[in-house]
Amino acid sequence: MAAASELVTLKRPFGKDVSGSGDGSVAEEKPKAPARRREAEDPAAALAAARHEFGEHGGVNMSIEASATFTVMEPETMRRLFAGELGPDRGGMYIYSRHFNPTVQALGRQMAALEGTEAAYCTASGMSAISSVMVQLVGAGGHVVASRCLYGGTHALLARFLPRAAGVRATFVDVDDEAAVRAAVVPGETRVVFVETMSNPTLAVADIPMLARVAHEAGAKLVVDNTFTPVVVSPARLGADVVVHSVSKFISGGGDIIAGAICGPASLVNAMMDLQEGALMLLGPTMNAKMAFELWERLPHLPLRMQEHSRRALAFAARMQRLGLRVLYPGLPDHPHHARLAAMRNPGYGSGGMLCVDMGTEERANRLMHHLQNTTQFGLMAVSLGYYETLVSCSGTSTSSEMPPQDRERAGISPGLVRMSVGYNGTLEQRWAQLERALALMQPPPPPRHHHLKGAADRDGPDAANNHGKH
């Protein structure tokens, strides 16, 4: 059975299909716009230009196709469906929702528009998206070059699971060092270079154009996890071959959905849906249609949400830095990758909603998080990110705990590193007052005063006033 193709490619509502059909043919017409113009396309504008799905009875919202299986009128039709003669792109017919589902496909078209790719397929989780791409592109015995600093689950997948299950070899390098990346790539053997746009949790920014150039010269694909920076950065427009997401995070925004997405060429999505060899078709990380509908409704608000996440994160990072704290945030001018991010990002969306503050030790990190949640109500101690409330965690003992201690050290993950996913509820000044109070509680207590008689004016003098102001 040939996998469906045209319906998973990015389409315009009143214009021409902007991609090939994925099976070697041309679906209407190739794009004529200059490459530079396409690369400069605003993600919000691309989302607005993507085809809008209407409901079955003319509703402004699309209908939810919750069926697992689909009926046909004649037995011959089913034979033709399984033979690939009919399908979503050939007669608007469906077989089974593990293959293609109309509601999930509609979300896929939106994700493709967001990332500027030909196609996208939405999955049950971010890790299922990453795992499926790796299985499809790398294969048994293949080689991957990966960033030294990755989400702990991804690191475990590449360092432990895939080597055991499929003989995959992974080399972890400092991807900021072009010479090191080139030295790690093995022409003819390296299938994938894998990085995160903004590394979890150290917030190092990958040089995507450089990494794409190195990967392509070696015949490899550049796969980029863009979970931290949707809308802010568009990796495919910078040279990445495949963009993956944990849609559970900023894209969802509600902390209530687990989902993933694979954005890339239509040929890749079609290959991953192949009946005999497709990783998505055979591993089956299917997204539920009801979840796809929920996410489809939230995507139009994503650009606005990312703007406010970024605005708050920059304000908090700058103010904490002025207090003398060691803050990691690429929007700060002294961040080593500030200029790189400024050159790659889409104008108007800031530098993302993630920041880190290094408290030096795990004990101090834990005390700060305790005060942030339980004393001043600034945020919540929880993993994940992209929620409207601020979420804080100590990465070394949570989301990076899968990494061995020596690997965490090489990746620059300090035991006292507190990762903050900055929310946007409440006012900025209200939240800053809560954060500032928690930080003040971290200071050592003042030395005891000598007991001697003083007048009321002395007791309520400038020092006392300053102390009151700090709390």
Side-chain angles (χ1 to χ4, degrees):
M1 179 182 71
S5 56
E6 288 181 8
L7 204 65
V8 299
T9 59
L10 174 61
K11 291 179 180 289
R12 301 293 180 182
F14 307 112
K16 296 179 174 61
D17 193 346
V18 300
S19 71
S21 66
D23 58 2
S25 63
V26 176
E28 297 185 32
E29 186 176 329
K30 287 288 184 180
K32 295 181 179 179
R36 185 173 298 276
R37 182 178 174 185
R38 291 200 307 273
E39 290 173 358
E41 188 172 15
D42 187 291
L47 274 172
R51 191 171 88 196
H52 185 90
E53 298 290 334
F54 293 98
E56 184 179 2
H57 302 289
V60 293
N61 289 324
M62 68 175 172
S63 300
I64 302 174
E65 182 49 80
S67 295
T69 190
F70 299 84
T71 190
V72 295
M73 297 303 294
E74 300 293 338
E76 176 66 9
T77 304
M78 185 169 290
R79 183 200 66 77
R80 294 183 67 193
L81 278 166
F82 274 86
E85 298 171 10
L86 297 172
D89 59 322
R90 299 173 183 88
M93 296 184 178
Y94 294 83
I95 302 172
Y96 189 60
S97 280
R98 177 162 56 86
H99 184 236
F100 286 112
N101 172 283
T103 311
V104 179
Q105 278 190 285
L107 177 64
R109 281 192 290 271
Q110 294 291 89
M111 287 300 304
L114 176 73
E115 287 296 351
T117 59
E118 283 186 333
Y121 192 93
C122 297
T123 65
S125 70
M127 282 306 302
S128 70
I130 294 170
S131 301
S132 298
V133 166
M134 288 299 169
V135 169
Q136 189 73 32
L137 292 182
V138 180
H143 181 243
V144 178
V145 174
S147 171
R148 187 175 285 165
C149 187
L150 294 171
Y151 164 60
T154 307
H155 189 278
L157 174 75
L158 296 175
R160 296 178 177 272
F161 181 81
L162 287 179
R164 173 179 63 80
V168 170
R169 294 169 293 124
T171 302
F172 297 93
V173 298
D174 176 4
V175 293
D176 206 32
D177 184 344
E178 182 175 350
V181 178
R182 288 187 179 278
V185 169
V186 182
E189 296 183 27
T190 302
R191 303 281 186 262
V192 164
V193 176
F194 185 94
V195 298
E196 295 165 344
T197 306
M198 194 176 288
S199 65
N200 183 1
T202 61
L203 308 187
V205 179
D207 187 342
I208 294 172
M210 177 272 287
L211 292 166
R213 186 170 61 251
V214 172
H216 296 160
E217 288 173 4
K221 303 292 187 186
L222 177 62
V223 179
V224 178
D225 184 339
N226 201 33
T227 297
F228 274 25
T229 45
V231 179
V232 175
V233 178
S234 300
R237 296 187 177 104
L238 299 169
D241 298 286
V242 183
V243 181
V244 293
H245 277 278
S246 174
V247 176
S248 319
K249 311 304 193 295
F250 284 109
I251 293 173
S252 165
D256 57 343
I257 291 176
I258 299 294
I262 301 164
C263 308
S267 58
L268 172 65
V269 174
N270 295 328
M272 295 183 78
M273 292 305 299
D274 183 82
L275 181 66
Q276 303 292 334
E277 298 184 1
L280 288 170
M281 186 66 184
L282 298 175
L283 296 177
T286 306
M287 176 181 282
N288 182 282
K290 296 172 184 176
M291 295 299 97
F293 176 82
E294 290 262 356
L295 292 164
W296 180 85
E297 287 193 306
R298 298 177 193 190
L299 263 177
H301 316 140
L302 177 63
L304 296 174
R305 290 189 277 115
M306 290 308 300
Q307 286 175 332
E308 188 61 11
H309 281 298
S310 295
R311 185 179 79 92
R312 300 278 184 108
L314 177 60
F316 293 159
R319 294 180 186 191
M320 284 194 287
Q321 189 178 65
R322 286 196 291 269
L323 292 177
L325 294 167
R326 182 168 182 261
V327 181
L328 304 177
Y329 184 66
L332 294 175
D334 64 349
H335 188 282
H337 297 155
H338 175 77
R340 176 181 298 168
L341 179 61
M344 294 196 309
R345 70 188 177 191
N346 296 308
Y349 300 104
S351 301
M354 303 298 297
L355 70 84
C356 291
V357 55
D358 192 345
M359 300 304 294
T361 67
E362 182 183 342
E363 186 274 333
R364 283 181 57 79
N366 288 342
R367 275 205 295 135
L368 175 61
M369 292 191 299
H370 168 82
H371 287 309
L372 289 173
Q373 175 176 283
N374 300 321
T375 307
T376 70
Q377 290 75 54
F378 170 76
L380 306 173
M381 282 186 284
V383 296
S384 197
L385 50 122
Y387 192 41
Y388 57 83
E389 292 272 10
T390 294
L391 303 179
V392 297
S393 60
C394 183
S395 296
T397 55
S398 59
T399 54
S400 298
S401 61
E402 296 97 331
M403 299 172 68
Q406 64 271 22
D407 288 345
R408 288 201 298 271
E409 184 177 353
R410 279 194 290 265
I413 303 171
S414 160
L417 194 68
V418 175
R419 191 188 76 180
M420 292 187 186
S421 169
V422 178
Y424 53 76
N425 67 332
T427 69
L428 190 153
E429 295 305 328
Q430 171 194 22
R431 294 307 190 190
W432 170 248
Q434 294 168 323
L435 174 55
E436 189 177 35
R437 182 170 173 237
L439 292 170
L441 291 170
M442 295 293 295
Q443 303 303 317
R449 294 184 178 181
H450 295 293
H451 294 286
H452 59 276
L453 295 176
K454 279 195 162 188
D458 293 319
R459 290 197 301 272
D460 295 325
D463 289 340
N466 289 338
N467 286 334
H468 289 315
K470 291 180 181 177
H471 295 280

